[in-house]
Amino acid sequence: SGKGTQAERLAPRLRLMPIATGNLFREAVKAGTPLGREAKAIMDRGELAPDGITIALVEEKLDELAAQQALGEGARGALFDGFPRTIAQAEALETALARRGQRVDAVVVIDVPRQQLIERLAGRRVCASCGLVYHVAFNPPKRVGICDVCGGELVQRADDTPEAVARRLDTYDAVTAPLLDFYAQRGVLTHVDGDRPIEEVTEAIAAAADRAVADGQRAG
């Protein structure tokens, strides 16, 4: 749906720290931290990382943000990209934020028709070095196959083929879609039409975020 692209555009504009769990895993593995070594062992076995490790990595990032804020620096909050993905992760995030006297202010769902999603993801390319995401049609690099930022090679992920994307969407419907009710019940869910130009989607999400912050301030 373009959530990664929108996160890159919106994080600096809204003064939020972007937190994408995929990047957290890559950073932890590269740094060789205890969590990173544990995550690498799991991924080397071809298994999915359990929620406990995912939440622990997110909490490390939240601690980093809090340390920056204590010095009067850094972002004013966090922008989660593709997390949480399950009810269990959402509940764990709520608990982690509550311990910090914080909460989720807004959850934005970028709505895109299923066939559009399949076509979009089939055109996605990812930098093998830094993880930056491009699209051959909607967000191409300046040089074909080369990352604008680090010069790394752009590759198509194995799970971005049309067949793999269809399977991933089936998994989303079964596992992640229930989060919509979870956050709707908490009054923080907003739908944005993602079948529009990138700039229009950015403006719609920014407006939704501004409304959520204003509503939160009025509520207390």
Side-chain angles (χ1 to χ4, degrees), residues 26-204:
R26 282 188 287 271
E27 291 169 5
V29 169
K30 185 176 181 180
T33 65
L35 280 174
R37 291 194 296 272
E38 188 176 353
K40 184 177 187 303
I42 292 169
M43 290 186 289
D44 286 347
R45 295 196 297 268
E47 301 171 3
L48 293 176
D51 285 346
I53 292 181
T54 304
I55 293 297
L57 286 171
V58 169
E59 291 213 59
E60 280 189 350
K61 203 67 176 178
L62 291 174
D63 289 341
E64 178 186 326
L65 173 59
Q68 293 175 0
Q69 291 175 332
L71 297 173
E73 303 170 354
R76 62 175 182 167
L79 174 60
F80 293 101
D81 172 6
F83 172 85
R85 291 182 181 271
T86 66
I87 295 293
Q89 288 182 356
E91 291 173 340
L93 177 61
E94 272 196 344
T95 300
L97 292 175
R99 285 199 299 267
R100 295 167 168 80
Q102 300 169 331
R103 64 186 179 191
V104 172
D105 292 308
V107 175
V108 177
V109 182
I110 305 175
D111 293 319
V112 180
R114 184 183 178 94
Q115 187 55 40
Q116 280 270 27
L117 288 174
I118 293 174
E119 292 172 3
R120 284 189 184 188
L121 287 172
R124 183 165 67 174
R125 300 294 183 270
V126 180
C127 176
S129 298
C130 71
L132 201 61
V133 178
Y134 296 85
H135 192 280
V136 295
F138 306 117
N139 183 34
K142 294 175 183 176
R143 291 184 295 163
V144 175
I146 303 296
C147 177
D148 295 344
V149 176
C150 74
E153 179 188 5
L154 300 186
V155 298
Q156 183 181 43
R157 295 185 346 186
D159 57 353
D160 279 347
T161 63
E163 297 77 16
V165 171
R167 290 194 296 270
R168 286 166 60 195
L169 290 174
D170 289 340
T171 299
Y172 172 88
D173 289 339
V175 177
T176 304
L179 282 172
L180 303 187
D181 285 339
F182 180 89
Y183 284 117
Q185 291 171 7
R186 284 154 176 77
V188 295
L189 189 71
T190 299
H191 286 265
V192 167
D193 178 8
D195 194 15
R196 294 181 290 173
I198 290 174
E199 294 77 10
E200 291 184 21
V201 178
T202 300
E203 294 304 319

